[in-house]
Amino acid sequence: MSQVVLDAKIPKGPIEDKWSNHKASVKLVNPANKRKYTIIVVGTGLAGASAAASLAELGYNVLNFCIQDSPRRAHSVAAQGGINAAKNYQNDGDSVFRLFHDTIKGGDYRAREANVYRLAELSLNIIDQAVAQGVPFAREYGGMLANRSFGGAQVSRTFYARGQTGQQLLLGAYSALMRQVAAGRVKLYARREMLDLVVIDGRARGIICRNLITGEIEAYAGDAVCLATGGYSTVYYLSTNAVNSNGTAAWRCFKKGAFFANPCFTQIHPTCLPETGSGQSKLTLMSESLRNDGRVWVPKKKGDTRPPHEIPEDERDYFLERRYPAFGNLVPRDIASRAAKAICDEGYGVGPTGRAVYLDFAEAINRLGIDVIRERYGNLFDMYREITGEDPYKTPMRIYPAPHYTMGGLWVDYNLMTTIPGLYALGEANFSDHGANRLGASALMQGLADGYFIIPVTIGDFLADHRPDGLSTDHPAFAQAIKDVEDQIKRLLSIKGKKTVREFHWELGRIMWDYVGMARNAQGLTKAISDIRALREEFWKNVKVVGENEDYNKSLEFAGRVADYLELGELMAMDALDREESCGGHFREEYQTPDGEALRRDDLFCHVSVWEHKGDIKDSVRHKEPLEFEYVKPTQRSYK
């Protein structure tokens, strides 16, 4: 293993002062000079839209790219349940430190303390920002903002707008973004997919995109690039992510020299609609907020096919409440997911496939009234009824775990800069804040903290040392990058095989779910690596990509993404095989406590695994960033 030293640039001083001290010491760009710089922001979800709007508000020229037809369609809308913040309106003992503590513990002690404390600290600002934008958070009778609970916490710190919090927060960021578009400081490019990063003299200087309508390959130059393109859970084919969500932009940056951290840290969300067949394109998320009032149970008798209302109370197993009495149904996602899978594997699952458990609201409806439940979760209940044809007010929902959030991503330092100078990664595209398991309602928090409050400060520290030089896309590096993109497109179109892109993606997804999913072991991971390599070899000989490049070609779009996933999937399996411990969402069956919980090995694996591209994926080199815990001491994680 190489001995590359990864400098996280963590500021000195007490943890509560690090961010303030850092802001006071970074270099600044004169207001009159900001308009001389061009910053490229890829993505228009919460991280991308907030970053583009904030940077433009400061005076920078911003080029903003989104893969959808409108920024309002970014996948951030799917984060329904809420956003965490340590406002402590409930007066139930919350604080910035407790939010910091819960996040570190929830991630099973595999995240940097400094980054996580900053996130908790900035959570206070985020709520103020969103309220000022008009985000319609729920309020108590007296007018104070309301809170509810989420997994992994014993306080109520989650702010929400019914079951559509992500959508409402995105509309706030979108409003701020479009204000800057109207002012001429942001140029918005919709229906573009980033296919390469342009690196000149070791520094990120631009991107190559494909216009998804015309097929034209376009080049854009800038003084810095901010990647806010989300995660990569669609590597599993079926996931809660939108079908268009993908890991291509981050993966192409990895192949240009940006290190990739903890690729095996993926989250399986416990509250999703069960898979129904091979014809599905995605899985539907039911918000974790439902676990506030919904009780999870299965029949005590194996193979019990009676309708749920015919099963008496004493014949029901509320297994989360039984196993984790302190947290009950609000244990963190990784624990709830593994418990649901285990109970189904034992033969107690419900529904046509036996791969589901009940999420029951009868007790809450009796206690609170149907109107209160409708007010809290109405749109989620409507969505469930629309998809399944069943009324969750009358019969329990059926849920099962599904691939959701990815904690791994491009490695970044405290400034959110990757190992390529001038390339930043924001939100889910980076690895920095969630360790081995993200607590619910923290994705929105991180995306907005990165975009509104961190990158506007830290990017100036870099730009102050790099005067604008008038770089244009006439530079030979852009021509070479365009050629590389066009060559891959020509290669994909020329194969003319017999198996569709969808078939390859489905096969990859089955390998990933079976061997690199909720539970992993050395034998399965070794098989996954071998199977993925064989599938990738077949892909480049037998994939069928119809159409041409010069048009709206979904087959070509997906082919490029699947080609990347066939490489990323292998790296994920390699990382999981290398990490011989269990932590958070990474559950190695060889390493568990006597009662089946994750067993960390802090003496060997208290570090970030950071991978460097070296040509072929099998030759990738792993580096380590040691993790040091001064304020939260690692212990065996318990929610009992």
Side-chain angles (χ1 to χ4, degrees), residues 384-396:
Y384 183 89
R385 181 167 48 196
E386 189 73 24
I387 293 171
T388 66
E390 299 176 359
D391 185 351
Y393 293 105
K394 298 177 180 178
T395 189

Side-chain angles (χ1 to χ4, degrees), residues 372-383:
V372 172
I373 297 301
R374 182 175 287 112
E375 181 182 346
R376 291 178 179 178
Y377 313 112
N379 62 302
L380 298 172
F381 278 47
D382 292 344
M383 185 166 65

Side-chain angles (χ1 to χ4, degrees), residues 340-499:
K341 179 181 184 297
I343 208 83
C344 291
D345 288 346
E346 292 168 11
Y348 297 96
V350 301
T353 65
R355 312 298 293 176
V357 299
Y358 288 128
L359 182 62
D360 195 338
F361 292 86
E363 187 273 336
I365 290 173
N366 290 334
R367 172 169 46 89
L368 300 170
I370 195 170
D371 290 340
V372 172
I373 297 301
R374 182 175 287 112
E375 181 182 346
R376 291 178 179 178
Y377 313 112
N379 62 302
L380 298 172
F381 278 47
D382 292 344
M383 185 166 65
Y384 183 89
R385 181 167 48 196
E386 189 73 24
I387 293 171
T388 66
E390 299 176 359
D391 185 351
Y393 293 105
K394 298 177 180 178
T395 189
M397 292 182 178
R398 290 195 306 274
I399 58 169
Y400 193 71
H404 180 54
Y405 190 90
T406 51
M407 286 75 67
L410 294 182
W411 184 90
V412 294
D413 62 19
Y414 190 74
N415 293 321
L416 305 184
M417 190 188 289
T418 69
T419 50
I420 299 177
L423 174 66
Y424 295 81
L426 284 62
E428 194 178 355
N430 75 36
F431 87 103
S432 65
D433 291 5
H434 306 296
N437 172 62
R438 177 178 68 79
L439 291 184
S442 288
L444 302 180
M445 179 172 60
Q446 186 208 350
L448 293 178
D450 288 356
Y452 281 138
F453 299 110
I454 299 175
I455 196 66
V457 174
T458 60
I459 202 168
D461 192 51
F462 171 79
L463 294 176
D465 288 333
H466 297 84
R467 294 184 177 180
D469 55 10
L471 177 77
S472 76
T473 54
D474 293 334
H475 191 284
F478 285 90
Q480 182 61 49
I482 291 173
K483 182 180 183 301
D484 292 342
V485 167
E486 290 177 338
D487 285 348
Q488 187 190 51
I489 289 173
K490 290 175 183 176
R491 184 183 177 192
L492 287 168
L493 290 169
S494 69
I495 297 171
K496 303 189 184 305
K498 299 186 182 302
K499 192 187 271 188

Side-chain angles (χ1 to χ4, degrees), residues 19-65:
W19 178 233
S20 296
N21 292 343
H22 192 59
K23 288 190 293 182
S25 64
V26 296
K27 299 182 183 71
L28 302 176
V29 177
N30 182 289
N33 287 335
K34 286 189 174 76
R35 59 178 175 267
K36 300 176 184 177
Y37 290 94
T38 296
I39 301 173
I40 293 172
V41 178
V42 187
T44 57
L46 285 179
S50 61
S54 300
L55 291 167
E57 191 76 44
L58 287 174
Y60 294 108
N61 296 302
V62 178
L63 308 182
N64 193 198
F65 298 82

Side-chain angles (χ1 to χ4, degrees), residues 512-531:
M512 296 299 297
W513 179 250
D514 289 344
Y515 303 115
V516 201
M518 291 179 64
R520 302 147 180 196
N521 58 58
Q523 181 179 357
L525 291 166
T526 302
K527 177 175 171 53
I529 292 169
S530 175
D531 289 353

